[in-house]
Amino acid sequence: MSRLTLSTLALIPLLAACGDKGGDDTGGAVDADLATAQDIWSEIAGYDSWNQTADWTGIQESADGTHGSHVQIWLNDLAYDTIEAGAGGDMPDGAILVKEGYSDSSGASLNAITAMKKISGFDSEHGDWFWVNYSEDGTVNMYGSESACYGCHESGQDYVRFTTW
Ligand code: HEC
């Protein structure tokens, strides 16, 4: 057996481990969550024509640079209407917020597209938010109940960081 074959074989368990990008779920739940992540990609098609808030229209400097030096944020109608109403409380079931993160002020270099969707009953301990990180072509990089996301977002109103309402 050649050295190449051996090293290729050694990679297989590693690749299998990388394939499981879901949060804390195991077994079938991971597949269900991946399907949800892919459904959300379809649901947010054309998000760049969604509403933005007056304070966060177009490309803005990020507060902390986590998602890139600059970001742009869009809201589906449920999320936008909640913010515009300014009545406080939590986001309703079905609310979606989408963000592009860039490493430059013009938005030429897109790091990732991230989204958060409120799915009632999905993760009640963490605000029922489903988190996703996509590449530009829709490849799902992270998804589900992600402590890497809600751990930082929990300081916001109902886990939303860019504004309050
Ligand atoms: C260390 C802190 C931190 C982590 C970790 C983090 N975010 Fe964020 N996120 C922010 C901040 C701050 C904003 C507000 C925009 C800005 O200033 O960049 C934001 C904005 C967003 C927004 C726009 C709505 C909002 O809440 O303002 C989405 C969607 C989002 N993040 C998704 C994610 C996802 C998905 C993950 C995990 C893969 C994640 N974030 C991890 C800090 C974080």
Side-chain angles (χ1 to χ4, degrees):
M1 200 177 273
S2 72
R3 285 177 64 182
L4 181 66
T5 312
L6 273 176
S7 55
T8 307
L9 284 174
L11 273 174
I12 291 171
L14 196 65
L15 290 173
C18 291
D20 177 6
K21 293 164 187 154
D24 306 318
D25 296 325
T26 54
V30 170
D31 297 334
D33 284 359
L34 179 57
T36 301
Q38 289 164 341
D39 285 349
I40 293 173
W41 179 252
S42 304
E43 198 175 352
I44 67 173
Y47 65 80
D48 57 353
S49 62
W50 289 6
N51 280 313
Q52 299 184 310
T53 64
D55 291 353
W56 283 72
T57 297
I59 297 172
Q60 300 292 325
E61 202 169 331
S62 169
D64 70 356
T66 302
H67 298 287
S69 64
H70 291 76
V71 299
Q72 185 162 196
I73 298 170
W74 294 269
L75 313 148
N76 74 352
D77 288 345
L78 286 167
Y80 181 76
D81 290 348
T82 301
I83 291 170
E84 290 300 295
D90 288 346
M91 284 283 170
D93 186 30
I96 304 179
L97 297 91
V98 181
K99 176 193 57 56
E100 288 185 351
Y102 319 100
S103 45
D104 68 300
S105 59
S106 70
S109 63
L110 176 66
N111 298 332
I113 301 163
T114 55
M116 50 197 284
K117 178 179 182 183
K118 175 83 85 174
I119 302 176
S120 187
F122 170 69
D123 181 14
S124 53
E125 278 179 41
H126 305 107
D128 281 335
W129 288 106
F130 189 102
W131 304 90
V132 201
N133 175 311
Y134 305 100
S135 300
E136 196 171 4
D137 65 0
T139 303
V140 176
N141 303 312
M142 283 174 80
Y143 58 93
S145 169
E146 282 289 348
S147 56
C149 308
Y150 63 67
C152 184
H153 273 255
E154 65 191 356
S155 63
Q157 181 175 350
D158 195 19
Y159 296 83
V160 173
R161 292 295 311 271
F162 85 106
T163 193
T164 55
W165 60 91

